[in-house]
Amino acid sequence: RELAALLEGEEWISQPTLVSARMPLIKAFAPLPPHLAPLPRSGRLALDISLDDGGHAGASSTAFTKDVLLPSLPALRPLVLVLKSLLASRGLSDGYTGGLTGYAIVLMAAAVLQHHEASLGRERSLGVGAALACFLETYSRDPRHAHAPHRHAVHAVTLDAGARLQPTVVCRSDPLLGGAPLLVQDPLDVENNVGASAFNFPSVQRLLREALERLDTASCCAAGEADARADGGTSGADAIALAEALSLDRHEPQEGAMSDCPRG
């Protein structure tokens, strides 16, 4: 509370708001310099500020993402940028509102990429366009019809025997769920469900289904252009442009558009 009050008078930050989440944080905005201002349409950067009280896992999860996941999965960074922008457009990119936290998005995206790699081999790694299609298809579909033998299935990301993340489904009675509509197992603490706060996951799924329907020929071409630059590091502008393409007027999906996405 004291920090939020102090930030109220600072010129470099605006709208500091204290959020009473599981890990209390301050949400605020900062204006971007002119050469970066066109990147987000708002021209400002969203900030989450929290204090390390000994129980904060942010530093370790950030290090895991940066040092372990990103070097091994080239498409992860641009894919996460696209997904965060897409979810933020509907207010679903924050755990305290029932959306997906940044770490949950990272793990769910990494699971799709690692599953593809395990199925088809590292030499056939996905570019950001095909990875986006796979992510949307994987998590937008009804888990009861994915590979679940029971009616009470929910989407999950779990660790397999090789310590790889994999998208799967679990029974709603799974003790790790704790009543949540989504299970995302934390590789750093297998008893921690990173998706526990996603009580609005049905809305997330609706958005993913809408985005999947909009991924027509034009947006697939845009994805292909982003793929061509992926080895050199797709820029934030490229990723956000791809996310914005999904908010165009609705079109019929092209037959075969999901052919690169592993099923099962």
Side-chain angles (χ1 to χ4, degrees):
R1 293 181 185 277
E2 293 179 10
L3 179 57
L6 288 172
L7 291 174
E8 283 281 1
E10 296 293 326
E11 294 183 357
W12 62 274
I13 198 169
S14 63
Q15 297 176 252
T17 304
L18 182 64
V19 176
S20 299
R22 184 176 65 88
M23 181 65 66
L25 56 87
I26 299 170
K27 299 191 74 68
F29 297 94
L32 289 171
H35 69 288
L36 290 178
L39 188 56
R41 285 173 292 180
S42 64
R44 58 184 186 174
L45 182 67
L47 302 175
D48 287 352
I49 304 170
S50 59
L51 301 177
D52 187 354
D53 62 355
H56 200 304
S60 57
S61 61
T62 299
F64 175 70
T65 300
K66 180 181 177 181
D67 299 337
V68 178
L69 294 179
L70 289 177
S72 63
L73 300 169
L76 182 60
R77 179 181 179 275
L79 175 59
V80 168
L81 285 173
V82 172
L83 294 168
K84 282 190 172 183
S85 180
L86 179 63
L87 290 165
S89 71
R90 298 287 183 86
L92 294 170
S93 60
D94 286 304
Y96 79 96
T97 60
L100 296 177
T101 65
Y103 190 36
I105 296 170
V106 166
L107 296 180
M108 292 169 71
V112 168
L113 296 173
Q114 289 186 346
H115 175 71
H116 176 88
E117 195 174 90
S119 301
L120 300 178
R122 184 179 293 269
E123 67 279 0
R124 295 186 61 184
S125 60
L126 293 173
V128 62
L132 175 62
C134 285
F135 185 99
L136 296 176
E137 182 178 1
T138 297
Y139 297 111
S140 67
R141 61 190 171 190
D142 188 337
R144 295 171 298 178
H145 300 149
H147 13 243
H150 42 75
R151 294 183 297 112
H152 304 291
V154 298
H155 280 288
V157 170
T158 60
L159 292 167
D160 66 12
R164 291 183 300 266
L165 292 161
Q166 61 175 349
T168 185
V169 295
V170 297
C171 182
R172 193 174 295 278
S173 61
D174 190 298
L176 281 179
L177 268 174
L182 173 70
L183 171 61
V184 181
Q185 194 170 30
D186 188 350
L188 303 178
D189 178 4
V190 295
E191 298 298 317
N192 178 37
N193 177 13
V194 181
S197 62
F199 60 83
N200 208 11
F201 188 61
S203 295
V204 171
Q205 286 190 288
R206 281 194 295 273
L207 174 59
L208 299 184
R209 282 192 290 270
E210 291 172 12
L212 187 58
E213 292 173 2
R214 291 180 170 93
L215 204 58
D216 63 357
T217 301
S219 59
C220 285
C221 288
E225 292 174 4
D227 286 344
R229 294 189 291 271
D231 290 339
T234 303
S235 71
D238 291 332
I240 291 174
L242 181 54
E244 290 180 345
L246 301 181
S247 63
L248 298 174
D249 290 340
R250 182 172 303 219
H251 300 284
E252 290 300 320
Q254 295 296 308
E255 184 178 355
M258 303 301 124
S259 58
D260 288 336
C261 185
R263 290 165 170 77

